[in-house]
Amino acid sequence: MGLWAAFEAGKSGLKTMLIDVKGAGAGASGGLLGALMPHMPDRWSAKKQFQFDALVSLEARIAELEAITGLSAGYRRSGRLIPLPKPHLRDIALRHQADAETAWKTPTRAFHWNVIDAPQVAGWVRVEAGAAGFVHDTLAARIFPRGLVAALAAALATFPNLAFRKGEGVSAIDAARKRLHFTSGDSLSYGACIVAAGVSAFQLLEALGPALQKPLGQPVKGQAALLAADVDPGLPVIFLDGLYVVAHEGGHVAIGSTSENSFAEPFSTDAQLDGLVAAARDLVPALADAPVVERWAGLRPKAIDRDPMVGPHPDHPGIVALTGGFKISFGLAHVLARAAVDAIEGRAMDVPPGFTLESHLAVAGRNAP
Ligand SMILES: Cc1cc2nc3c(=O)[nH]c(=O)nc-3n(C[C@H](O)[C@H](O)[C@H](O)COP(=O)(O)OP(=O)(O)OC[C@H]3O[C@@H](n4cnc5c(N)ncnc54)[C@H](O)[C@@H]3O)c2cc1C
């Protein structure tokens, strides 16, 4: 989120400093999966429309980034295959197929949620997994998180108005004096500050007060794995019961993810990941003997109201939140970052009202006695 915000601020000509305690991509964004999954096409809402527009616009934004840097972000609209194990799921999917025909449209493009009897490509998902058929959606896409981070970091290096300070964490924000305090004891003044510190953003924002009844957000651990497999990188993402299988470029397939609200070790992997890998091998014959080349764990920022958290602090307008992307950050970060920079530049943010920091603060009990 912070890299996109720095990119937008840099493009706007703002004098910008990107601060990261560990370096670009050190947090959840440095992972392996990168599935860009649309919301279901039924019960359409402003939030779903916002995510749809973001998923559609990301394609051009990635092309822009790749043109600037010459680097690949590993983006492809590969679509998605969802096995339907039971007949009633096919009935629901057929209703969604009709919903998608009206919801998944722009003035120039249409995306589809097609119910099919068998996967169009043999040897990817096991045919028996879809006893009642499959959904093939043409809107879903994937990006390689580390490719995206590298491309964004390279693009930022081209901005003369942008500096990068790494190796020092922000320990506190003094909103009254507009100063950041670092763990090293150093401090720095700012004109406006976008707080895009992933799971740590919640505490930095809470510390600004007033006291809240509940935390602004929580970390949700996820584990994922990368396998080496000689498969077509254009194959669709497979999704079944929380299991994602994502074919990336360069002979890699990512598998994810666990979703853990409580955990002892935030950044280590365990038997839960073994279970996911086993399930993926069972579902996708091409992965049966594929070696695991990396196991990875990270913390997703889940805001109190589950939606992303963006926008000015009602008491300290120079502080702008940008976090809470939870499980869908990669598809939204570019538009949320633009909204955060709009807020700094005094423009109205074009985001659903429930996404604003003000809304999340209210849910956390800001106005309670
Ligand atoms: C296993 C797993 C799989 C996932 N799969 C997907 C997926 O398929 N699709 C999807 O869209 N999303 C996915 N996500 C979620 C996604 O990765 C996160 O929502 C997203 O990366 C969060 O981005 P962020 O910029 O808010 O936080 P981060 O990427 O965590 O970045 C925060 C940065 O702030 C820095 N920082 C923290 N505290 C401080 C401080 N005090 N001072 C200075 N710097 C600080 C950190 O070093 C870090 O670099 C997945 C997450 C996990 C864990």
Side-chain angles (χ1 to χ4, degrees), residues 1-2 19-30 33-36 168-171 196-200 204 220-224 257-258 296-301 322-331:
M1 293 267 197
I19 298 166
D20 197 303
V21 60
K22 289 188 189 147
S29 306
L33 203 66
L36 302 169
E168 270 184 299
V170 172
S171 53
V199 292
S200 304
L204 287 168
V220 176
K221 179 177 172 180
Q223 304 181 37
S257 304
T258 65
W296 180 87
L299 297 179
R300 308 174 180 96
L322 181 59
T323 184
F326 193 29
K327 296 184 175 176
I328 57 170
S329 283
F330 290 115

Side-chain angles (χ1 to χ4, degrees), residues 5-361:
F7 184 67
E8 289 299 326
K11 279 209 316 185
S12 288
L14 298 172
K15 192 174 171 202
T16 304
M17 178 168 287
L18 178 67
I19 298 166
D20 197 303
V21 60
K22 289 188 189 147
S29 306
L32 304 169
L33 203 66
L36 302 169
M37 299 291 100
H39 289 309
M40 304 296 262
D42 64 327
R43 290 177 290 137
W44 205 240
S45 66
K47 284 180 193 171
K48 289 189 174 188
Q49 184 68 44
F50 184 85
Q51 193 227 17
F52 172 82
D53 291 341
L55 288 172
V56 174
S57 68
L58 182 60
E59 193 174 310
R61 302 307 310 282
I62 296 298
E64 176 194 5
L65 203 55
E66 293 182 340
I68 294 171
T69 62
L71 297 175
S72 167
Y75 176 89
R76 193 187 284 226
R77 195 177 296 286
S78 351
R80 168 175 54 172
L81 269 177
I82 308 173
L84 302 169
K86 301 264 168 58
H88 77 277
L89 296 174
R90 187 180 177 106
D91 296 338
I92 296 169
L94 284 168
R95 289 201 292 275
H96 289 163
Q97 179 171 305
D99 293 330
E101 292 308 302
T102 49
W104 285 9
K105 258 173 146 168
T106 74
T108 54
R109 294 177 79 176
F111 302 93
H112 306 284
W113 171 283
N114 294 323
V115 177
I116 54 179
D117 293 329
Q120 289 126 328
V121 188
W124 185 222
V125 62
R126 201 160 45 80
V127 181
E128 303 79 51
F134 292 80
V135 170
H136 177 238
D137 103 51
T138 62
L139 174 58
R142 54 88 168 144
I143 197 159
F144 192 58
R146 293 173 190 174
L148 173 64
V149 165
L152 278 166
L156 295 181
T158 66
F159 289 118
N161 52 328
L162 199 137
F164 192 3
R165 179 168 176 157
K166 71 172 177 188
E168 270 184 299
V170 172
S171 53
I173 304 168
D174 182 343
R177 291 180 188 75
K178 293 202 161 189
R179 278 200 94 73
L180 296 179
H181 293 280
F182 292 94
T183 43
S184 63
D186 202 0
S187 71
L188 180 77
S189 69
Y190 64 83
C193 174
I194 296 179
V195 185
V199 292
S200 304
F202 301 129
Q203 283 151 348
L204 287 168
L205 293 165
E206 282 163 12
L208 297 169
L212 302 170
Q213 290 189 328
K214 289 176 257 176
L216 264 182
Q218 66 168 101
V220 176
K221 179 177 172 180
Q223 304 181 37
L226 196 65
L227 278 64
D230 187 17
V231 299
D232 176 355
L235 286 167
V237 172
I238 300 170
F239 177 67
L240 180 64
D241 291 339
L243 169 70
Y244 289 92
V245 179
V246 183
H248 284 294
E249 309 292 330
H252 286 131
V253 176
I255 289 169
S257 304
T258 65
S259 191
E260 303 163 52
N261 287 313
S262 59
F263 45 85
E265 301 287 341
F267 303 114
S268 63
T269 60
D270 57 30
Q272 295 180 74
L273 184 57
D274 300 338
L276 273 186
V277 172
R281 292 193 193 287
D282 185 46
L283 185 63
V284 182
L287 300 181
D289 302 314
V292 175
V293 292
E294 185 173 345
R295 296 160 66 93
W296 180 87
L299 297 179
R300 308 174 180 96
K302 180 184 179 191
I304 181 163
D305 212 16
R306 204 185 162 100
D307 287 328
M309 181 185 286
V310 61
H313 192 290
D315 302 332
H316 311 287
I319 302 285
V320 176
L322 181 59
T323 184
F326 193 29
K327 296 184 175 176
I328 57 170
S329 283
F330 290 115
L332 290 178
H334 61 300
V335 286
L336 297 178
R338 183 62 247 169
V341 173
D342 282 343
I344 282 179
E345 295 188 303
R347 278 193 295 276
M349 295 194 306
D350 184 14
V351 299
F355 285 16
T356 61
L357 173 58
E358 185 160 15
S359 167
H360 286 282
L361 283 168

